[in-house]
mmCIF file of all heavy atoms in Angstrom:
data_model
loop_
_atom_site.group_PDB
_atom_site.id
_atom_site.type_symbol
_atom_site.label_atom_id
_atom_site.label_comp_id
_atom_site.label_asym_id
_atom_site.label_seq_id
_atom_site.Cartn_x
_atom_site.Cartn_y
_atom_site.Cartn_z
ATOM 1 N N ARG A 207 99.934 83.886 89.471
ATOM 2 C CA ARG A 207 98.575 83.681 90.001
ATOM 3 C C ARG A 207 97.854 84.991 90.300
ATOM 4 O O ARG A 207 96.630 85.004 90.448
ATOM 5 C CB ARG A 207 98.628 82.804 91.246
ATOM 6 C CG ARG A 207 99.264 81.441 91.036
ATOM 7 C CD ARG A 207 98.430 80.580 90.106
ATOM 8 N NE ARG A 207 97.150 80.311 90.706
ATOM 9 C CZ ARG A 207 96.921 79.339 91.582
ATOM 10 N NH1 ARG A 207 97.896 78.528 91.907
ATOM 11 N NH2 ARG A 207 95.724 79.161 92.107
ATOM 12 N N ASP A 358 91.487 84.074 94.673
ATOM 13 C CA ASP A 358 91.755 83.624 93.315
ATOM 14 C C ASP A 358 90.563 83.996 92.433
ATOM 15 O O ASP A 358 89.516 83.336 92.481
ATOM 16 C CB ASP A 358 91.978 82.103 93.341
ATOM 17 C CG ASP A 358 92.336 81.547 91.971
ATOM 18 O OD1 ASP A 358 92.209 82.277 90.963
ATOM 19 O OD2 ASP A 358 92.744 80.372 91.905
ATOM 20 N N ARG A 361 88.518 81.561 89.963
ATOM 21 C CA ARG A 361 87.570 80.533 90.408
ATOM 22 C C ARG A 361 86.156 80.936 89.983
ATOM 23 O O ARG A 361 85.895 82.095 89.671
ATOM 24 C CB ARG A 361 87.624 80.407 91.940
ATOM 25 C CG ARG A 361 89.001 80.088 92.503
ATOM 26 C CD ARG A 361 89.374 78.633 92.393
ATOM 27 N NE ARG A 361 88.438 77.795 93.124
ATOM 28 C CZ ARG A 361 88.180 76.514 92.842
ATOM 29 N NH1 ARG A 361 88.783 75.923 91.832
ATOM 30 N NH2 ARG A 361 87.336 75.818 93.564
ATOM 31 N N THR A 363 82.650 82.459 90.064
ATOM 32 C CA THR A 363 82.260 83.638 90.844
ATOM 33 C C THR A 363 81.599 83.284 92.166
ATOM 34 O O THR A 363 81.931 83.860 93.203
ATOM 35 C CB THR A 363 81.294 84.515 90.024
ATOM 36 O OG1 THR A 363 81.964 84.907 88.835
ATOM 37 C CG2 THR A 363 80.885 85.749 90.809
ATOM 38 N N ALA A 364 80.691 82.332 92.143
ATOM 39 C CA ALA A 364 79.929 82.037 93.363
ATOM 40 C C ALA A 364 80.796 81.438 94.458
ATOM 41 O O ALA A 364 80.377 81.349 95.604
ATOM 42 C CB ALA A 364 78.769 81.097 93.049
ATOM 43 N N GLU A 365 82.012 81.016 94.123
ATOM 44 C CA GLU A 365 82.888 80.399 95.123
ATOM 45 C C GLU A 365 84.088 81.262 95.471
ATOM 46 O O GLU A 365 84.914 80.873 96.295
ATOM 47 C CB GLU A 365 83.395 79.054 94.612
ATOM 48 C CG GLU A 365 82.286 78.043 94.454
ATOM 49 C CD GLU A 365 82.783 76.723 93.912
ATOM 50 O OE1 GLU A 365 83.990 76.447 94.031
ATOM 51 O OE2 GLU A 365 81.967 75.983 93.342
ATOM 52 N N GLN A 366 84.215 82.388 94.831
ATOM 53 C CA GLN A 366 85.369 83.244 95.129
ATOM 54 C C GLN A 366 85.299 83.791 96.547
ATOM 55 O O GLN A 366 84.242 84.129 97.040
ATOM 56 C CB GLN A 366 85.432 84.411 94.144
ATOM 57 C CG GLN A 366 85.874 83.981 92.752
ATOM 58 C CD GLN A 366 85.929 85.130 91.757
ATOM 59 O OE1 GLN A 366 86.030 86.279 92.149
ATOM 60 N NE2 GLN A 366 85.856 84.804 90.481
ATOM 61 N N GLY A 367 86.451 83.855 97.149
ATOM 62 C CA GLY A 367 86.520 84.384 98.499
ATOM 63 C C GLY A 367 87.959 84.396 98.942
ATOM 64 O O GLY A 367 88.826 83.794 98.300
ATOM 65 N N PHE A 368 88.227 85.079 100.032
ATOM 66 C CA PHE A 368 89.575 85.054 100.578
ATOM 67 C C PHE A 368 89.781 83.743 101.321
ATOM 68 O O PHE A 368 89.092 83.480 102.305
ATOM 69 C CB PHE A 368 89.816 86.253 101.500
ATOM 70 C CG PHE A 368 90.145 87.490 100.730
ATOM 71 C CD1 PHE A 368 89.147 88.320 100.239
ATOM 72 C CD2 PHE A 368 91.470 87.790 100.439
ATOM 73 C CE1 PHE A 368 89.461 89.446 99.491
ATOM 74 C CE2 PHE A 368 91.787 88.915 99.697
ATOM 75 C CZ PHE A 368 90.783 89.739 99.213
ATOM 76 N N SER A 369 90.706 82.934 100.822
ATOM 77 C CA SER A 369 91.018 81.665 101.472
ATOM 78 C C SER A 369 92.079 81.908 102.530
ATOM 79 O O SER A 369 93.154 82.407 102.224
ATOM 80 C CB SER A 369 91.560 80.652 100.466
ATOM 81 O OG SER A 369 90.535 80.211 99.629
ATOM 82 N N ARG A 370 91.754 81.509 103.737
ATOM 83 C CA ARG A 370 92.725 81.572 104.822
ATOM 84 C C ARG A 370 93.535 80.279 104.781
ATOM 85 O O ARG A 370 93.104 79.254 105.278
ATOM 86 C CB ARG A 370 92.009 81.702 106.164
ATOM 87 C CG ARG A 370 92.941 81.829 107.350
ATOM 88 C CD ARG A 370 92.184 81.983 108.672
ATOM 89 N NE ARG A 370 91.492 80.773 109.058
ATOM 90 C CZ ARG A 370 91.995 79.861 109.911
ATOM 91 N NH1 ARG A 370 93.168 80.053 110.458
ATOM 92 N NH2 ARG A 370 91.303 78.782 110.220
ATOM 93 N N ILE A 371 94.704 80.354 104.164
ATOM 94 C CA ILE A 371 95.563 79.176 104.078
ATOM 95 C C ILE A 371 96.373 79.095 105.370
ATOM 96 O O ILE A 371 97.096 80.032 105.710
ATOM 97 C CB ILE A 371 96.507 79.286 102.866
ATOM 98 C CG1 ILE A 371 95.695 79.442 101.576
ATOM 99 C CG2 ILE A 371 97.436 78.075 102.798
ATOM 100 C CD1 ILE A 371 96.548 79.772 100.354
ATOM 101 N N GLU A 377 103.889 70.712 102.396
ATOM 102 C CA GLU A 377 104.037 71.266 101.044
ATOM 103 C C GLU A 377 104.417 72.739 101.063
ATOM 104 O O GLU A 377 104.723 73.318 100.012
ATOM 105 C CB GLU A 377 102.718 71.110 100.255
ATOM 106 C CG GLU A 377 102.401 69.699 99.808
ATOM 107 C CD GLU A 377 101.834 68.818 100.929
ATOM 108 O OE1 GLU A 377 101.676 69.314 102.059
ATOM 109 O OE2 GLU A 377 101.573 67.642 100.665
ATOM 110 N N HIS A 378 104.358 73.364 102.203
ATOM 111 C CA HIS A 378 104.682 74.794 102.296
ATOM 112 C C HIS A 378 106.169 74.997 102.578
ATOM 113 O O HIS A 378 106.815 74.129 103.173
ATOM 114 C CB HIS A 378 103.832 75.444 103.399
ATOM 115 C CG HIS A 378 102.372 75.536 103.054
ATOM 116 N ND1 HIS A 378 101.371 75.236 103.952
ATOM 117 C CD2 HIS A 378 101.748 75.876 101.905
ATOM 118 C CE1 HIS A 378 100.196 75.408 103.373
ATOM 119 N NE2 HIS A 378 100.393 75.796 102.129
ATOM 120 N N ARG C 246 79.935 68.577 96.598
ATOM 121 C CA ARG C 246 81.221 69.231 96.852
ATOM 122 C C ARG C 246 81.804 68.874 98.214
ATOM 123 O O ARG C 246 83.000 69.066 98.436
ATOM 124 C CB ARG C 246 81.064 70.755 96.725
ATOM 125 C CG ARG C 246 80.571 71.225 95.371
ATOM 126 C CD ARG C 246 81.608 70.921 94.290
ATOM 127 N NE ARG C 246 82.809 71.682 94.517
ATOM 128 C CZ ARG C 246 82.979 72.949 94.146
ATOM 129 N NH1 ARG C 246 82.034 73.560 93.486
ATOM 130 N NH2 ARG C 246 84.115 73.561 94.399
ATOM 131 N N ASP C 397 87.643 73.536 100.389
ATOM 132 C CA ASP C 397 87.571 72.584 99.280
ATOM 133 C C ASP C 397 88.841 71.728 99.304
ATOM 134 O O ASP C 397 89.909 72.160 98.880
ATOM 135 C CB ASP C 397 87.453 73.368 97.973
ATOM 136 C CG ASP C 397 87.304 72.463 96.760
ATOM 137 O OD1 ASP C 397 87.509 71.238 96.893
ATOM 138 O OD2 ASP C 397 87.001 72.977 95.673
ATOM 139 N N ARG C 400 91.330 70.989 96.229
ATOM 140 C CA ARG C 400 92.284 71.969 95.703
ATOM 141 C C ARG C 400 93.709 71.494 96.008
ATOM 142 O O ARG C 400 93.911 70.641 96.872
ATOM 143 C CB ARG C 400 92.056 73.344 96.347
ATOM 144 C CG ARG C 400 90.654 73.911 96.179
ATOM 145 C CD ARG C 400 90.422 74.518 94.826
ATOM 146 N NE ARG C 400 91.317 75.638 94.590
ATOM 147 C CZ ARG C 400 91.709 76.054 93.386
ATOM 148 N NH1 ARG C 400 91.293 75.425 92.310
ATOM 149 N NH2 ARG C 400 92.509 77.085 93.265
ATOM 150 N N THR C 402 97.074 71.033 97.778
ATOM 151 C CA THR C 402 97.273 71.126 99.229
ATOM 152 C C THR C 402 97.786 72.493 99.671
ATOM 153 O O THR C 402 97.301 73.066 100.649
ATOM 154 C CB THR C 402 98.274 70.048 99.694
ATOM 155 O OG1 THR C 402 97.735 68.772 99.346
ATOM 156 C CG2 THR C 402 98.495 70.103 101.193
ATOM 157 N N ALA C 403 98.751 73.015 98.949
ATOM 158 C CA ALA C 403 99.373 74.260 99.399
ATOM 159 C C ALA C 403 98.427 75.453 99.335
ATOM 160 O O ALA C 403 98.715 76.513 99.884
ATOM 161 C CB ALA C 403 100.631 74.552 98.575
ATOM 162 N N GLU C 404 97.295 75.300 98.652
ATOM 163 C CA GLU C 404 96.346 76.413 98.513
ATOM 164 C C GLU C 404 95.058 76.187 99.282
ATOM 165 O O GLU C 404 94.167 77.034 99.253
ATOM 166 C CB GLU C 404 96.013 76.633 97.037
ATOM 167 C CG GLU C 404 97.207 77.085 96.235
ATOM 168 C CD GLU C 404 96.871 77.242 94.767
ATOM 169 O OE1 GLU C 404 95.691 77.430 94.428
ATOM 170 O OE2 GLU C 404 97.809 77.175 93.955
ATOM 171 N N GLN C 405 94.931 75.034 99.908
ATOM 172 C CA GLN C 405 93.698 74.774 100.643
ATOM 173 C C GLN C 405 93.562 75.724 101.828
ATOM 174 O O GLN C 405 94.529 76.036 102.506
ATOM 175 C CB GLN C 405 93.663 73.331 101.139
ATOM 176 C CG GLN C 405 93.436 72.327 100.027
ATOM 177 C CD GLN C 405 93.415 70.889 100.512
ATOM 178 O OE1 GLN C 405 93.166 70.639 101.670
ATOM 179 N NE2 GLN C 405 93.680 69.962 99.602
ATOM 180 N N GLY C 406 92.339 76.134 102.034
ATOM 181 C CA GLY C 406 92.073 77.013 103.159
ATOM 182 C C GLY C 406 90.586 77.292 103.220
ATOM 183 O O GLY C 406 89.851 76.979 102.272
ATOM 184 N N PHE C 407 90.142 77.868 104.319
ATOM 185 C CA PHE C 407 88.743 78.244 104.408
ATOM 186 C C PHE C 407 88.544 79.537 103.630
ATOM 187 O O PHE C 407 89.119 80.569 103.980
ATOM 188 C CB PHE C 407 88.306 78.404 105.863
ATOM 189 C CG PHE C 407 87.992 77.085 106.501
ATOM 190 C CD1 PHE C 407 88.984 76.323 107.091
ATOM 191 C CD2 PHE C 407 86.704 76.578 106.449
ATOM 192 C CE1 PHE C 407 88.695 75.081 107.649
ATOM 193 C CE2 PHE C 407 86.402 75.337 107.000
ATOM 194 C CZ PHE C 407 87.403 74.590 107.597
ATOM 195 N N SER C 408 87.744 79.451 102.570
ATOM 196 C CA SER C 408 87.440 80.643 101.772
ATOM 197 C C SER C 408 86.245 81.350 102.377
ATOM 198 O O SER C 408 85.176 80.763 102.519
ATOM 199 C CB SER C 408 87.101 80.258 100.337
ATOM 200 O OG SER C 408 88.249 79.844 99.663
ATOM 201 N N ARG C 409 86.451 82.614 102.678
ATOM 202 C CA ARG C 409 85.347 83.446 103.157
ATOM 203 C C ARG C 409 84.639 84.001 101.929
ATOM 204 O O ARG C 409 85.080 84.982 101.348
ATOM 205 C CB ARG C 409 85.893 84.586 104.024
ATOM 206 C CG ARG C 409 84.816 85.479 104.618
ATOM 207 C CD ARG C 409 85.426 86.565 105.508
ATOM 208 N NE ARG C 409 86.142 87.554 104.745
ATOM 209 C CZ ARG C 409 85.613 88.716 104.306
ATOM 210 N NH1 ARG C 409 84.370 89.011 104.598
ATOM 211 N NH2 ARG C 409 86.339 89.563 103.619
ATOM 212 N N ILE C 410 83.553 83.346 101.544
ATOM 213 C CA ILE C 410 82.795 83.822 100.388
ATOM 214 C C ILE C 410 81.844 84.917 100.858
ATOM 215 O O ILE C 410 81.013 84.679 101.734
ATOM 216 C CB ILE C 410 82.001 82.663 99.748
ATOM 217 C CG1 ILE C 410 82.950 81.534 99.341
ATOM 218 C CG2 ILE C 410 81.176 83.161 98.573
ATOM 219 C CD1 ILE C 410 82.240 80.263 98.905
ATOM 220 N N GLU C 414 76.983 88.324 95.580
ATOM 221 C CA GLU C 414 77.101 88.407 94.128
ATOM 222 C C GLU C 414 75.762 88.092 93.457
ATOM 223 O O GLU C 414 74.947 87.342 93.995
ATOM 224 C CB GLU C 414 78.144 87.393 93.632
ATOM 225 C CG GLU C 414 79.533 87.584 94.195
ATOM 226 C CD GLU C 414 80.247 88.812 93.638
ATOM 227 O OE1 GLU C 414 80.122 89.086 92.422
ATOM 228 O OE2 GLU C 414 80.916 89.512 94.429
ATOM 229 N N GLU C 416 75.371 86.104 91.265
ATOM 230 C CA GLU C 416 75.337 84.655 91.043
ATOM 231 C C GLU C 416 74.851 83.897 92.279
ATOM 232 O O GLU C 416 74.638 82.675 92.212
ATOM 233 C CB GLU C 416 76.748 84.144 90.680
ATOM 234 C CG GLU C 416 77.216 84.500 89.294
ATOM 235 C CD GLU C 416 77.713 85.932 89.163
ATOM 236 O OE1 GLU C 416 77.709 86.666 90.181
ATOM 237 O OE2 GLU C 416 78.095 86.321 88.052
ATOM 238 N N HIS C 417 74.721 84.562 93.395
ATOM 239 C CA HIS C 417 74.296 83.879 94.614
ATOM 240 C C HIS C 417 72.777 83.922 94.757
ATOM 241 O O HIS C 417 72.125 84.826 94.228
ATOM 242 C CB HIS C 417 74.958 84.550 95.829
ATOM 243 C CG HIS C 417 76.439 84.312 95.915
ATOM 244 N ND1 HIS C 417 77.346 85.296 96.260
ATOM 245 C CD2 HIS C 417 77.181 83.200 95.696
ATOM 246 C CE1 HIS C 417 78.568 84.793 96.247
ATOM 247 N NE2 HIS C 417 78.501 83.536 95.913
#
Side-chain angles (χ1 to χ4, degrees):
Chain A
R207 302 294 296 276
D358 183 349
R361 303 280 299 154
T363 300
E365 294 178 21
Q366 287 179 22
F368 279 86
S369 288
R370 182 179 69 96
I371 302 171
E377 287 78 1
H378 290 137
Chain C
R246 301 294 295 278
D397 183 348
R400 303 281 298 154
T402 300
E404 295 178 23
Q405 288 179 22
F407 279 86
S408 288
R409 182 178 70 94
I410 302 171
E414 300 288 320
E416 287 79 1
H417 290 138

